[in-house]
Amino acid sequence: MNKQLSVASDLKNIRHAVDEIIIMLKGLQVDESDMFDIRLCLEEALINAIKYGNRFDKDLEVLIDFACVNDKINISVEDKGTGFDHNKVPDPTKEENLLMGSGRGVFLIKHLMDEVRFNKKGNRLTMVKHLKKIKEKPKRDQ
Amino acid sequence: MKIAQKQNNDITIFNIDGDIDINSSPEMREAFEGIASAKTMKIVVNLSNVSYVDSSGLATLVEMLKKTRSYGAKLRLASLAPKVKSLFEITKLEQLFDIFDTEEEASANF
């Protein structure tokens, strides 16, 4: 199963895009815990893409690629920005950063998804979730 | 999001109902302003009807905590759903907040 979406860079558009993905996940009967993780990580990725990548320019789109292959969900989020170095994001769990107002999005993505990759430029994030269980469709009687 | 407030003697219970995310957290911040400007000293934020929080929701809760600390008040969180609580653990925010299983426990021994 594959789906591609494009989202104009307005935070209000995030909900609709995520809802489309959630509908597909429900169709696959994804575990509630995995659903929560995927929803959160997708939203965090979209917020960053809109806010920092495309700088709220509504003429610039964020592209989402969703694929379910075997028991893995692959989601890529790409903005039109110049990219960023995810290794330079401060660790929000350090004592001196706990009271930070923001900066936990990338950290949550790295901890809730099983695989996280950025392209070289830093404007495309790919996240993979290994699902706990996908309920198989009942086999037809022969 | 629905926000309600009630008094339990000298403790203000701040009830949140719904997701706390990028779109709804400004509303929560604004509603909390009233509590903070009244210099309320004992606050319990009841999250029993919150099943989803994103990083902006966490940030807003941190801001609320900082605000209450600035005037010497205490803020406690109560009734976190397991996945929501796990976010506090992953981000080590459980080291910052006093988190209780129920509103009753949070309201006791302030």
Side-chain angles (χ1 to χ4, degrees):
Chain A
M1 173 185 281
N2 293 299
K3 191 170 183 81
Q4 283 158 346
L5 298 166
S6 69
V7 181
S9 295
D10 184 330
L11 293 175
K12 291 188 172 72
N13 294 332
I14 288 177
R15 189 59 193 261
H16 178 73
V18 171
D19 281 350
E20 286 203 48
I21 302 295
I22 295 295
I23 286 168
M24 287 190 289
L25 293 175
K26 284 184 176 170
L28 291 167
Q29 300 193 19
V30 170
D31 174 86
E32 284 294 324
S33 176
D34 286 343
M35 187 98 68
F36 180 101
D37 294 348
I38 294 166
R39 177 191 167 187
L40 178 56
C41 292
L42 176 56
E43 290 199 11
E44 296 293 344
L46 288 171
I47 289 167
N48 285 344
I50 288 170
K51 195 171 167 181
Y52 302 112
N54 290 349
R55 299 181 188 272
F56 298 109
D57 184 344
K58 288 173 190 169
D59 291 331
L60 296 179
E61 288 178 330
V62 177
L63 299 174
I64 304 170
D65 257 303
F66 170 92
C68 178
V69 182
N70 298 324
D71 59 352
K72 294 181 187 176
I73 299 290
N74 289 259
I75 302 178
S76 289
V77 175
E78 182 173 338
D79 60 60
K80 305 288 187 203
T82 54
F84 83 113
D85 183 351
H86 65 96
N87 292 310
K88 290 190 175 166
V89 176
D91 182 350
T93 63
K94 285 191 172 176
E95 200 175 333
E96 63 267 27
N97 294 332
L98 281 179
L99 285 167
M100 271 192 328
S102 59
R104 293 178 181 88
V106 172
F107 179 86
L108 285 170
I109 290 170
K110 287 182 177 179
H111 277 77
L112 293 175
M113 299 302 270
D114 295 297
E115 298 172 42
V116 177
R117 294 186 292 274
F118 287 86
N119 66 347
K120 200 171 176 185
K121 186 178 174 184
N123 69 326
R124 182 180 171 91
L125 162 68
T126 299
M127 312 177 273
V128 182
K129 187 73 172 174
H130 303 168
L131 298 176
K132 288 183 185 66
K133 181 181 176 182
I134 292 181
K135 194 171 174 180
E136 291 178 358
K137 289 181 185 173
K139 290 180 183 170
R140 288 186 181 184
D141 290 334
Q142 300 203 343
Chain B
M1 173 190 275
K2 289 180 189 168
I3 300 171
Q5 233 176 282
K6 66 178 184 187
Q7 284 302 125
N8 178 3
N9 298 317
D10 60 344
I11 302 168
T12 296
I13 312 294
F14 193 58
N15 273 299
I16 312 293
D17 189 337
D19 298 344
I20 308 176
D21 61 16
I22 188 81
N23 289 309
S24 63
S25 51
E27 188 186 339
M28 185 172 77
R29 185 186 302 117
E30 202 178 310
F32 191 75
E33 277 300 316
I35 293 177
S37 48
K39 298 283 189 272
T40 308
M41 296 304 289
K42 297 176 185 177
I43 303 152
V44 172
V45 182
N46 187 323
L47 299 175
S48 56
N49 290 319
V50 174
S51 57
Y52 180 85
V53 178
D54 70 4
S55 65
S56 59
L58 293 175
T60 302
L61 288 164
V62 170
E63 278 176 44
M64 285 161 56
L65 181 70
K66 281 160 71 175
K67 191 148 268 188
T68 51
R69 282 185 177 182
S70 72
Y71 63 88
K74 282 188 180 174
L75 181 143
R76 293 176 169 179
L77 303 180
S79 307
L80 275 61
K83 285 298 283 188
V84 173
K85 194 170 183 187
S86 73
L87 296 183
F88 280 79
E89 290 161 356
I90 291 166
T91 57
K92 304 270 191 272
L93 286 177
E94 28 83 38
Q95 293 178 10
L96 212 55
F97 285 91
D98 293 327
I99 297 174
F100 296 82
D101 288 338
T102 65
E103 181 184 303
E104 291 69 33
E105 287 172 31
S107 300
N109 305 317
F110 239 105

